[in-house]
Amino acid sequence: MFVSKLPPKPDFDLLAAAAPASADRRTFVLALIGNLICSWSNNESLFIYVLMILLRTDEAAAAVVFATLNTTRARLDLIQRLAKIKITDKALARSLAALIERFSESTRVRNELNHCMFIFDSKGAITHTQSMRLMETRSSLKFGDIKALDENRLQEMLQTTREMTKINREIWDLLPRLEAHVCGGEQPSVPRDAA
C-alpha cells in the first residue's frame, strides 16, 4: 500500500479565519525581515564604489563588473584580491577587511531568512523557518534545519539590522579614504560622454 510522504495540506479556511488574531506579530516579523534584507542590499551595493575605486574606473563600469559576478562571495573575493595589490596602507587594508568580514557575517543571517520556508501555526503566526539548504554529512543527507522564530531569533534579527546600519556608515566613511589612497587625490578619468 502506498503511503504519501507529503505533509498534510493546511486547512486554509481555518488559517484565514484565525489569521487576524496574529496579524500584528506577523506584520512585525515581516517588517524585521524586510528591513534586514533592505539594509543588506544597500550595503552590498556600496561595494560597487569600492570596486570603482580599486579598479580606477567609473561607476557604470564598476556596476558592470559587479553585476557580471553573480554571487556576493565572488564580488567580495574580487574586492579582497584587488585590495591586496592596490592598498599599501596596512590600517586602511585592515579596515576594509574588517568591514568585509562583518558584512559576510550579516550575509549569513540574510541568506538564512531570504532562502527559507516559513512555517505557520494553526493561528497563522510564523513560528519557525526551514532552511532550503541540504545538510550533508559523511553518512547522511538532510533537508534544511528547522529553527524557531522565537524572541531570541527576533532579537538576533534586530541586532543584525543595527549592525548593518553601522556597516553602512563605516563603508561611507571608508570610501573617501580609500579613494585618496588609491587615486592619490586625483579623480579617476571619466570619458566626457559617460558623465
Side-chain angles (χ1 to χ4, degrees), residues 104-145:
S104 294
E105 179 56 29
S106 70
T107 297
R108 181 195 60 77
V109 177
R110 177 263 186 192
N111 286 347
E112 194 176 285
L113 292 164
N114 207 38
H115 303 291
C116 72
M117 179 170 56
F118 294 94
I119 300 170
F120 295 80
D121 67 10
S122 62
K123 297 178 182 100
I126 303 170
T127 60
H128 293 78
T129 60
Q130 181 170 10
S131 169
M132 301 305 284
R133 292 181 48 204
L134 290 175
M135 313 292 267
E136 190 170 357
T137 65
R138 287 186 172 154
S139 60
S140 70
L141 191 63
K142 180 179 146 189
F143 177 66
D145 274 347

Short mmCIF file of all heavy atoms in Angstrom, two decimals, residues 104-145:
data_model
loop_
_atom_site.label_atom_id
_atom_site.label_comp_id
_atom_site.label_asym_id
_atom_site.label_seq_id
_atom_site.Cartn_x
_atom_site.Cartn_y
_atom_site.Cartn_z
N SER A 104 30.02 39.91 5.73
CA SER A 104 29.85 38.48 5.44
C SER A 104 29.06 37.78 6.55
O SER A 104 28.25 36.89 6.28
CB SER A 104 31.20 37.80 5.25
OG SER A 104 31.82 38.30 4.08
N GLU A 105 29.29 38.18 7.79
CA GLU A 105 28.53 37.60 8.90
C GLU A 105 27.05 37.99 8.79
O GLU A 105 26.17 37.17 9.00
CB GLU A 105 29.10 38.06 10.24
CG GLU A 105 28.36 37.52 11.45
CD GLU A 105 28.26 36.01 11.52
OE1 GLU A 105 29.14 35.30 11.00
OE2 GLU A 105 27.26 35.51 12.09
N SER A 106 26.77 39.24 8.42
CA SER A 106 25.37 39.64 8.25
C SER A 106 24.73 38.92 7.06
O SER A 106 23.54 38.67 7.04
CB SER A 106 25.24 41.16 8.10
OG SER A 106 25.76 41.61 6.87
N THR A 107 25.56 38.55 6.09
CA THR A 107 25.07 37.81 4.92
C THR A 107 24.52 36.45 5.34
O THR A 107 23.54 35.98 4.80
CB THR A 107 26.20 37.65 3.88
OG1 THR A 107 26.57 38.96 3.43
CG2 THR A 107 25.75 36.83 2.69
N ARG A 108 25.15 35.83 6.34
CA ARG A 108 24.66 34.54 6.83
C ARG A 108 23.22 34.65 7.32
O ARG A 108 22.37 33.85 6.96
CB ARG A 108 25.57 34.04 7.96
CG ARG A 108 25.16 32.69 8.54
CD ARG A 108 25.85 32.38 9.87
NE ARG A 108 25.58 33.35 10.91
CZ ARG A 108 24.45 33.42 11.62
NH1 ARG A 108 23.46 32.59 11.38
NH2 ARG A 108 24.30 34.32 12.56
N VAL A 109 22.93 35.68 8.11
CA VAL A 109 21.58 35.87 8.64
C VAL A 109 20.62 36.21 7.51
O VAL A 109 19.51 35.68 7.43
CB VAL A 109 21.56 36.96 9.74
CG1 VAL A 109 20.14 37.21 10.24
CG2 VAL A 109 22.48 36.59 10.88
N ARG A 110 21.03 37.09 6.61
CA ARG A 110 20.20 37.46 5.47
C ARG A 110 19.86 36.24 4.62
O ARG A 110 18.71 36.02 4.25
CB ARG A 110 20.91 38.53 4.64
CG ARG A 110 20.19 38.94 3.38
CD ARG A 110 20.77 38.18 2.21
NE ARG A 110 20.21 38.63 0.95
CZ ARG A 110 20.39 37.97 -0.17
NH1 ARG A 110 21.10 36.87 -0.21
NH2 ARG A 110 19.89 38.42 -1.28
N ASN A 111 20.86 35.42 4.31
CA ASN A 111 20.63 34.23 3.49
C ASN A 111 19.69 33.25 4.17
O ASN A 111 18.84 32.64 3.53
CB ASN A 111 21.95 33.54 3.16
CG ASN A 111 22.75 34.29 2.13
OD1 ASN A 111 22.26 35.20 1.47
ND2 ASN A 111 24.01 33.93 2.00
N GLU A 112 19.86 33.12 5.47
CA GLU A 112 19.01 32.23 6.25
C GLU A 112 17.54 32.62 6.11
O GLU A 112 16.67 31.77 5.97
CB GLU A 112 19.46 32.33 7.71
CG GLU A 112 18.95 31.28 8.63
CD GLU A 112 19.56 31.47 10.01
OE1 GLU A 112 20.75 31.14 10.19
OE2 GLU A 112 18.84 31.96 10.89
N LEU A 113 17.26 33.91 6.14
CA LEU A 113 15.87 34.38 6.07
C LEU A 113 15.37 34.56 4.64
O LEU A 113 14.18 34.50 4.39
CB LEU A 113 15.74 35.71 6.83
CG LEU A 113 15.92 35.56 8.33
CD1 LEU A 113 16.16 36.91 8.97
CD2 LEU A 113 14.73 34.86 8.95
N ASN A 114 16.27 34.79 3.73
CA ASN A 114 15.88 35.01 2.33
C ASN A 114 15.67 33.69 1.59
O ASN A 114 14.97 33.66 0.59
CB ASN A 114 16.95 35.86 1.63
CG ASN A 114 16.39 36.64 0.48
OD1 ASN A 114 15.28 37.16 0.54
ND2 ASN A 114 17.16 36.74 -0.57
N HIS A 115 16.30 32.63 2.07
CA HIS A 115 16.23 31.34 1.40
C HIS A 115 15.70 30.28 2.35
O HIS A 115 16.38 29.32 2.68
CB HIS A 115 17.62 30.93 0.88
CG HIS A 115 18.22 31.93 -0.03
ND1 HIS A 115 17.74 32.19 -1.29
CD2 HIS A 115 19.28 32.77 0.13
CE1 HIS A 115 18.47 33.13 -1.86
NE2 HIS A 115 19.40 33.50 -1.01
N CYS A 116 14.49 30.49 2.82
CA CYS A 116 13.88 29.53 3.73
C CYS A 116 12.40 29.41 3.43
O CYS A 116 11.84 30.19 2.66
CB CYS A 116 14.09 29.94 5.19
SG CYS A 116 13.10 31.36 5.71
N MET A 117 11.80 28.42 4.06
CA MET A 117 10.35 28.28 4.02
C MET A 117 9.86 28.69 5.41
O MET A 117 10.45 28.30 6.43
CB MET A 117 9.98 26.82 3.73
CG MET A 117 8.50 26.59 3.70
SD MET A 117 8.06 24.94 3.06
CE MET A 117 8.97 23.86 4.14
N PHE A 118 8.82 29.50 5.46
CA PHE A 118 8.27 29.94 6.73
C PHE A 118 7.15 28.98 7.13
O PHE A 118 6.31 28.62 6.32
CB PHE A 118 7.76 31.38 6.64
CG PHE A 118 8.88 32.36 6.40
CD1 PHE A 118 9.22 32.75 5.12
CD2 PHE A 118 9.62 32.85 7.47
CE1 PHE A 118 10.27 33.62 4.90
CE2 PHE A 118 10.67 33.73 7.25
CZ PHE A 118 10.99 34.11 5.97
N ILE A 119 7.17 28.59 8.40
CA ILE A 119 6.19 27.63 8.92
C ILE A 119 5.23 28.40 9.81
O ILE A 119 5.64 29.14 10.71
CB ILE A 119 6.90 26.51 9.69
CG1 ILE A 119 7.86 25.77 8.75
CG2 ILE A 119 5.89 25.55 10.31
CD1 ILE A 119 8.79 24.80 9.44
N PHE A 120 3.94 28.20 9.56
CA PHE A 120 2.87 28.89 10.29
C PHE A 120 2.15 27.90 11.20
O PHE A 120 2.00 26.73 10.85
CB PHE A 120 1.85 29.48 9.30
CG PHE A 120 2.42 30.56 8.42
CD1 PHE A 120 3.17 30.24 7.29
CD2 PHE A 120 2.21 31.90 8.71
CE1 PHE A 120 3.70 31.24 6.47
CE2 PHE A 120 2.73 32.90 7.91
CZ PHE A 120 3.47 32.57 6.79
N ASP A 121 1.68 28.40 12.33
CA ASP A 121 0.87 27.53 13.20
C ASP A 121 -0.60 27.66 12.77
O ASP A 121 -0.92 28.36 11.80
CB ASP A 121 1.09 27.87 14.68
CG ASP A 121 0.57 29.23 15.10
OD1 ASP A 121 -0.14 29.90 14.30
OD2 ASP A 121 0.88 29.65 16.23
N SER A 122 -1.47 27.01 13.52
CA SER A 122 -2.90 26.99 13.15
C SER A 122 -3.57 28.35 13.31
O SER A 122 -4.68 28.56 12.82
CB SER A 122 -3.64 25.95 13.99
OG SER A 122 -3.55 26.30 15.37
N LYS A 123 -2.89 29.29 13.97
CA LYS A 123 -3.44 30.65 14.14
C LYS A 123 -2.88 31.63 13.11
O LYS A 123 -3.15 32.81 13.18
CB LYS A 123 -3.17 31.14 15.55
CG LYS A 123 -3.85 30.29 16.61
CD LYS A 123 -3.51 30.81 17.99
CE LYS A 123 -4.16 29.95 19.03
NZ LYS A 123 -3.26 28.98 19.63
N GLY A 124 -2.03 31.14 12.21
CA GLY A 124 -1.46 31.99 11.18
C GLY A 124 -0.19 32.72 11.59
O GLY A 124 0.32 33.55 10.85
N ALA A 125 0.35 32.40 12.77
CA ALA A 125 1.59 33.02 13.24
C ALA A 125 2.78 32.27 12.65
O ALA A 125 2.76 31.04 12.54
CB ALA A 125 1.66 32.99 14.76
N ILE A 126 3.82 33.03 12.28
CA ILE A 126 5.06 32.41 11.80
C ILE A 126 5.81 31.92 13.03
O ILE A 126 6.19 32.71 13.89
CB ILE A 126 5.93 33.41 11.01
CG1 ILE A 126 5.15 34.01 9.84
CG2 ILE A 126 7.20 32.73 10.51
CD1 ILE A 126 5.85 35.19 9.17
N THR A 127 6.01 30.60 13.11
CA THR A 127 6.63 30.03 14.30
C THR A 127 8.04 29.51 14.07
O THR A 127 8.84 29.45 15.00
CB THR A 127 5.79 28.86 14.85
OG1 THR A 127 5.69 27.86 13.83
CG2 THR A 127 4.40 29.34 15.25
N HIS A 128 8.35 29.11 12.82
CA HIS A 128 9.65 28.50 12.52
C HIS A 128 10.06 28.85 11.09
O HIS A 128 9.22 29.27 10.28
CB HIS A 128 9.58 26.97 12.63
CG HIS A 128 9.35 26.48 14.01
ND1 HIS A 128 8.11 26.48 14.62
CD2 HIS A 128 10.22 25.96 14.92
CE1 HIS A 128 8.21 26.00 15.83
NE2 HIS A 128 9.48 25.66 16.04
N THR A 129 11.33 28.65 10.82
CA THR A 129 11.82 28.69 9.44
C THR A 129 12.48 27.35 9.17
O THR A 129 13.03 26.70 10.08
CB THR A 129 12.86 29.81 9.22
OG1 THR A 129 13.98 29.60 10.08
CG2 THR A 129 12.25 31.18 9.46
N GLN A 130 12.42 26.94 7.91
CA GLN A 130 13.14 25.74 7.49
C GLN A 130 14.08 26.13 6.37
O GLN A 130 13.66 26.65 5.34
CB GLN A 130 12.20 24.64 7.02
CG GLN A 130 12.97 23.39 6.62
CD GLN A 130 12.08 22.19 6.37
OE1 GLN A 130 10.88 22.30 6.31
NE2 GLN A 130 12.70 21.03 6.23
N SER A 131 15.34 25.91 6.61
CA SER A 131 16.37 26.23 5.62
C SER A 131 16.12 25.43 4.35
O SER A 131 15.68 24.29 4.40
CB SER A 131 17.74 25.89 6.20
OG SER A 131 18.73 25.95 5.20
N MET A 132 16.44 26.04 3.22
CA MET A 132 16.29 25.35 1.93
C MET A 132 17.60 24.71 1.51
O MET A 132 17.73 24.25 0.38
CB MET A 132 15.79 26.34 0.86
CG MET A 132 14.45 26.97 1.20
SD MET A 132 13.16 25.78 1.53
CE MET A 132 12.79 25.24 -0.10
N ARG A 133 18.57 24.66 2.41
CA ARG A 133 19.88 24.07 2.10
C ARG A 133 19.91 22.60 2.49
O ARG A 133 19.32 22.20 3.49
CB ARG A 133 20.98 24.79 2.89
CG ARG A 133 21.20 26.21 2.44
CD ARG A 133 22.30 26.87 3.22
NE ARG A 133 23.48 26.03 3.29
CZ ARG A 133 24.39 26.10 4.24
NH1 ARG A 133 24.27 26.97 5.20
NH2 ARG A 133 25.43 25.30 4.24
N LEU A 134 20.63 21.84 1.70
CA LEU A 134 20.88 20.45 2.05
C LEU A 134 22.04 20.40 3.03
O LEU A 134 23.05 21.06 2.83
CB LEU A 134 21.22 19.63 0.81
CG LEU A 134 20.08 19.41 -0.17
CD1 LEU A 134 20.60 18.69 -1.42
CD2 LEU A 134 18.96 18.61 0.45
N MET A 135 21.89 19.62 4.06
CA MET A 135 22.94 19.44 5.07
C MET A 135 23.51 18.04 4.85
O MET A 135 22.82 17.06 5.08
CB MET A 135 22.36 19.56 6.48
CG MET A 135 21.45 20.76 6.67
SD MET A 135 22.31 22.29 6.58
CE MET A 135 22.64 22.52 8.29
N GLU A 136 24.76 18.00 4.39
CA GLU A 136 25.37 16.71 4.07
C GLU A 136 26.46 16.39 5.07
O GLU A 136 27.33 17.20 5.36
CB GLU A 136 25.95 16.76 2.66
CG GLU A 136 26.39 15.43 2.14
CD GLU A 136 26.73 15.46 0.66
OE1 GLU A 136 26.58 16.52 0.01
OE2 GLU A 136 27.16 14.42 0.16
N THR A 137 26.40 15.18 5.62
CA THR A 137 27.46 14.66 6.49
C THR A 137 28.05 13.45 5.78
O THR A 137 27.61 13.08 4.69
CB THR A 137 26.91 14.26 7.87
OG1 THR A 137 26.01 13.16 7.71
CG2 THR A 137 26.19 15.42 8.55
N ARG A 138 28.99 12.81 6.43
CA ARG A 138 29.60 11.62 5.81
C ARG A 138 28.60 10.51 5.58
O ARG A 138 28.71 9.74 4.64
CB ARG A 138 30.73 11.10 6.69
CG ARG A 138 31.95 11.97 6.64
CD ARG A 138 33.06 11.33 7.42
NE ARG A 138 34.27 12.10 7.20
CZ ARG A 138 35.27 12.16 8.02
NH1 ARG A 138 35.22 11.48 9.16
NH2 ARG A 138 36.32 12.89 7.75
N SER A 139 27.60 10.43 6.47
CA SER A 139 26.68 9.30 6.39
C SER A 139 25.24 9.62 6.02
O SER A 139 24.43 8.73 5.83
CB SER A 139 26.69 8.56 7.73
OG SER A 139 26.25 9.44 8.75
N SER A 140 24.92 10.91 5.92
CA SER A 140 23.51 11.23 5.64
C SER A 140 23.36 12.53 4.86
O SER A 140 24.29 13.32 4.74
CB SER A 140 22.71 11.31 6.94
OG SER A 140 23.08 12.47 7.66
N LEU A 141 22.16 12.69 4.38
CA LEU A 141 21.77 13.91 3.67
C LEU A 141 20.45 14.35 4.28
O LEU A 141 19.49 13.58 4.33
CB LEU A 141 21.61 13.61 2.18
CG LEU A 141 21.45 14.78 1.24
CD1 LEU A 141 22.70 15.66 1.28
CD2 LEU A 141 21.24 14.28 -0.18
N LYS A 142 20.42 15.58 4.79
CA LYS A 142 19.24 16.08 5.47
C LYS A 142 18.81 17.38 4.82
O LYS A 142 19.65 18.20 4.45
CB LYS A 142 19.60 16.30 6.95
CG LYS A 142 18.49 16.82 7.80
CD LYS A 142 19.00 16.97 9.23
CE LYS A 142 18.35 18.16 9.88
NZ LYS A 142 18.92 18.50 11.15
N PHE A 143 17.51 17.56 4.68
CA PHE A 143 16.98 18.78 4.09
C PHE A 143 16.72 19.79 5.18
O PHE A 143 15.89 19.58 6.04
CB PHE A 143 15.70 18.49 3.32
CG PHE A 143 15.06 19.71 2.73
CD1 PHE A 143 15.69 20.42 1.73
CD2 PHE A 143 13.84 20.15 3.17
CE1 PHE A 143 15.12 21.55 1.19
CE2 PHE A 143 13.26 21.28 2.63
CZ PHE A 143 13.90 21.97 1.64
N GLY A 144 17.45 20.87 5.16
CA GLY A 144 17.25 22.07 5.94
C GLY A 144 16.92 22.00 7.40
O GLY A 144 16.02 21.30 7.81
N ASP A 145 17.66 22.77 8.17
CA ASP A 145 17.39 22.93 9.60
C ASP A 145 16.07 23.66 9.81
O ASP A 145 15.74 24.59 9.08
CB ASP A 145 18.49 23.79 10.24
CG ASP A 145 19.67 22.98 10.67
OD1 ASP A 145 19.58 21.74 10.71
OD2 ASP A 145 20.71 23.60 10.98
#
